[in-house]
């Protein structure tokens, strides 16, 4: 008999706390399938009404950017300060913009 | 390398994303120069108080010590459900029963957060459970003591959770990201644990003489084991120096212990209870409470398996694991059957 504990796959859990906000990653858990993962996520991650909506995703389905060189991967954005509103100096008379 | 099943893109060239000194992926040929560069990048991150995340390169010893610490922390939460679970059926009121149930549920959840954090370091849940049930892994010594009266529920909440909070708040700033985030979640939930315990003690101390005596008797039994929770003194602590260098441990055992005593003495005075330490005295010069000598023999005995409840705790966990096997198998069988039906449909 194969060991069943080895075979419950890992799921990542995302919770939306309030209507209108985005889902945020809050942790992971092992479950035998998606339905069970959802129920368990509710039991473990929403005991204090932390959410109105739960997503569960098999961890194996996630593709992540490599962290090692986040500097070089995101480097093109570093010298484009003209993307920020504060780059532009406007006279005071314009008022609020 | 096991990365919690999170896929990384194809190994990159030197100028592409995924290369660079901190990437675990770049740990290819492992030349000495590359190894040194990765170590320097890691050291710089620690020095700058940046977080280390699961796929970052890290020294093998850093990974090992975190696996040990986080998994043993997780084991402590789950084993810690047992001494309090003991009193759920005998809580004196529905309110107290509901509160105790909620607390024990929380501890189970805390175990999950911590096992999940440990799994990001490449150890499997099965390996960790096996280490606990075989007696190889340790858990907090405090849970090897029995809960003999209802007042023990108050002492555990007030003192044991109080000590845990003192230890856990600095861990929220630990260098390893998943551990720090798990600790933030845990600390939010932990504060009700201490408040309900203190409220329970207040109710007993303001009750009948017999209730107050029960509270005092419980404090007499729990005080020293709680003080020992902070571990050996700094000089004797094997892991402390290295874990502080790595940003895992932020405050020393002795400092945490002192903070705890200083905070707790006034709390005991408010309850009208006497702390069982004849050497406990306010030291005006130091600005702290002096307290008596800890019986280190007791701590090492309990840590090494010879406390009042060590065997019972492990037996209970082993039985639970064995008795639950059919549930785990059935859930998997059911999931597979349902998936097959859906494919056929």
């Amino acid at each position: 008999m194969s060991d069943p504990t080895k075979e419950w796959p890992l799921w990542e859990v995302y919770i939306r706390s309030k209507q209108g906000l985005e889902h945020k990653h809050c942790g992971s858990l092992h479950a035998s399938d998606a339905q069970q993962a959802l129920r368990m996520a509710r039991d473990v991650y929403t005991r204090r009404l932390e959410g109105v909506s739960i997503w569960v995703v098999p961890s194996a389905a996630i593709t992540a950017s490599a962290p090692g060189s986040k500097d070089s991967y995101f480097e093109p954005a570093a010298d484009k300060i003209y993307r920020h509103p504060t780059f532009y100096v406007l006279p005071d008379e314009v008022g609020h913009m | 390398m096991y990365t919690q099943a999170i896929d990384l893109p194809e190994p990159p060239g030197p100028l592409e994303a995924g290369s660079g000194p901190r990437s675990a992926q770049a740990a290819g040929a492992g030349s000495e120069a590359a190894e040194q560069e990765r170590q320097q990048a890691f050291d710089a991150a620690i020095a700058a108080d940046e977080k280390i995340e699961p796929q970052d390169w890290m020294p093998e010893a850093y990974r090992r010590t975190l696996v040990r610490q986080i998994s043993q922390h997780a084991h402590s939460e789950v084993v810690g459900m047992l001494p309090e679970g003991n009193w759920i059926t005998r809580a004196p009121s529905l309110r107290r029963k509901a509160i105790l149930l909620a607390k024990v549920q929380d501890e189970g959840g805390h175990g999950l957060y911590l096992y999940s954090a440990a799994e990001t370091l490449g150890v499997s849940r099965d390996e960790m459970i096996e280490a606990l049930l075989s007696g190889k892994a340790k858990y907090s010594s405090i849970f090897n003591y029995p809960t003999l009266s209802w007042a023990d529920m108050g002492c555990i909440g007030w003192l044991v959770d109080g000590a845990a909070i003192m230890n856990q708040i600095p861990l929220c700033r630990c260098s390893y990201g998943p551990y720090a985030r798990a600790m933030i979640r845990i600390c939010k939930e932990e504060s009700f644990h201490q408040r309900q315990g203190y409220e329970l003690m207040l109710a007993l101390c303001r009750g009948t003489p017999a209730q107050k005596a029960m509270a005092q008797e419980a404090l007499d039994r729990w005080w020293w084991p709680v003080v020992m929770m902070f571990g050996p003194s700094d000089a004797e602590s094997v892991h402390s120096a290295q874990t502080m260098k790595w940003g895992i441990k932020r405050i020393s055992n002795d400092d945490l212990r002192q903070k705890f005593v200083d905070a707790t003495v006034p709390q005991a005075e408010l309850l009208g209870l006497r702390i069982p330490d004849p050497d406990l005295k306010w030291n005006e010069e130091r600005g702290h409470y002096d307290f008596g000598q800890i019986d280190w023999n007791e701590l090492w005995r309990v840590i090494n398996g010879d406390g009042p409840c060590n065997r019972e705790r492990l037996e209970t966990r082993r039985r639970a694991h064995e008795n639950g096997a059919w549930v785990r198998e059935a859930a998997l069988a059911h999931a597979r059957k349902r998936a097959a039906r859906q494919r056929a449909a």
Side-chain angles (χ1 to χ4, degrees), chain B residues 52-312:
Chain B
I52 310 295
E53 295 292 346
Q55 279 96 328
D56 289 339
W57 182 90
M58 59 188 82
E60 214 15 64
Y62 177 83
R63 179 191 306 276
R64 263 198 319 267
T65 215
L66 277 172
V67 168
R68 178 190 54 83
Q69 179 167 336
I70 301 175
S71 64
Q72 293 189 165
H73 198 163
H75 297 325
S76 300
E77 298 283 358
V78 176
V79 176
M81 296 166 77
L82 295 173
E84 288 176 298
N86 187 28
W87 279 91
I88 289 176
T89 56
R90 294 174 291 167
S93 70
L94 183 57
R95 179 175 181 267
R96 291 289 175 200
K97 191 198 287 292
I99 288 171
L100 190 54
L101 273 166
K103 180 176 194 292
V104 172
Q105 245 183 345
D106 269 0
E107 309 297 10
H110 295 177
L112 172 66
Y113 308 155
L114 290 163
Y115 282 128
S116 297
E119 285 167 56
T120 65
L121 288 161
V123 62
S124 75
R125 181 74 68 87
D126 275 352
E127 285 174 82
M128 291 188 278
I129 301 292
E130 170 60 32
L132 172 68
L133 299 185
S134 68
K136 268 191 260 130
K138 296 193 165 49
Y139 52 87
S140 187
S141 54
I142 195 72
F143 299 120
N144 290 312
Y145 292 87
T147 44
L148 299 177
S149 79
W150 174 251
D152 288 29
M153 297 300 101
C155 276
I156 290 181
W158 169 38
L159 299 173
V160 175
D161 286 85
I165 289 172
M166 200 127 271
N167 188 38
Q168 284 167 180
I169 289 188
L171 281 173
C172 294
R173 294 180 287 126
C174 147
S175 55
Y176 188 58
Y179 194 22
R181 289 189 288 275
M183 291 320 308
I184 291 172
R185 252 201 121 79
I186 288 174
C187 284
K188 277 204 202 135
E189 302 184 349
E190 200 84 31
S191 55
F192 115 70
H193 297 183
Q194 190 181 26
R195 287 174 73 91
Q196 65 82 38
Y198 194 70
E199 196 208 42
L200 196 159
M201 294 301 278
L202 266 174
L204 290 173
C205 292
R206 289 172 176 172
T208 66
Q211 285 170 329
K212 181 152 189 204
M214 192 197 327
Q216 179 66 64
E217 193 271 335
L219 176 58
D220 290 343
R221 277 182 291 106
W222 284 95
W223 175 254
W224 286 106
V226 166
V227 168
M228 289 181 213
M229 272 177 79
F230 295 95
S233 74
D234 298 345
E236 312 297 321
S237 178
V238 177
H239 301 284
S240 281
Q242 185 59 263
T243 54
M244 285 187 89
K245 266 207 272 183
W246 277 329
I248 298 171
K249 191 175 176 56
R250 296 291 187 181
I251 307 183
S252 78
N253 290 355
D254 288 336
D255 284 349
L256 283 172
R257 192 178 354 250
Q258 183 69 74
K259 273 181 79 164
F260 174 76
V261 173
D262 291 345
T264 308
V265 173
Q267 293 165 359
E269 283 169 359
L270 218 118
L271 290 170
L273 293 178
R274 178 198 65 243
I275 290 180
D277 180 358
D279 298 317
L280 187 65
K281 207 159 60 144
W282 176 254
N283 184 321
E284 189 57 50
E285 267 181 70
R286 289 199 311 130
H288 293 288
Y289 280 95
D290 290 334
F291 50 93
Q293 278 287 19
I294 293 171
D295 177 4
W296 295 112
N297 288 329
E298 179 178 338
L299 175 63
W300 292 120
R301 247 194 0 255
V302 176
I303 285 183
N304 289 322
D306 196 27
C309 292
N310 299 56
R311 275 179 286 277
E312 183 188 321

Side-chain angles (χ1 to χ4, degrees), chain A residues 1-10 12 26-36 43-48 50 59-70 72-73, chain B residues 2 4-9 15-23 25 55-56 105-106 109-110 112-113 116 119 125-126 185 189 192-193 321 325 327-329 331-332 335-336 338:
Chain A
M1 174 86 71
S2 65
D3 189 332
T5 58
K6 287 198 191 343
E7 297 167 42
W8 276 20
L10 191 64
E12 302 298 326
C26 65
S28 59
L29 51 81
H30 292 273
S32 58
D33 68 3
Q35 289 310 311
Q36 193 187 45
D43 290 346
V44 182
Y45 288 109
T46 68
R47 280 196 302 280
R48 288 165 176 82
E50 286 94 321
S59 307
I62 295 179
T63 304
S65 65
S69 55
K70 48 185 179 295
S72 62
Y73 196 54
Chain B
Y2 177 72
Q4 194 167 288
I6 292 180
D7 282 333
L8 292 177
L15 293 178
E16 291 164 23
S19 61
R22 285 189 59 190
S23 171
Q25 263 201 321
Q55 279 96 328
D56 289 339
Q105 245 183 345
D106 269 0
H110 295 177
L112 172 66
Y113 308 155
S116 297
E119 285 167 56
R125 181 74 68 87
D126 275 352
R185 252 201 121 79
E189 302 184 349
F192 115 70
H193 297 183
H321 191 72
V327 178
R328 297 191 293 273
E329 291 168 30
L332 216 44
R336 285 176 176 153
R338 194 159 57 184

Side-chain angles (χ1 to χ4, degrees), chain B residues 20-22 31-42 57:
Chain B
R22 285 189 59 190
S31 71
E32 260 208 54
E35 183 83 7
Q36 251 188 7
E37 212 193 321
R38 284 189 296 269
Q39 180 69 54
Q40 275 164 10
F42 173 84
W57 182 90

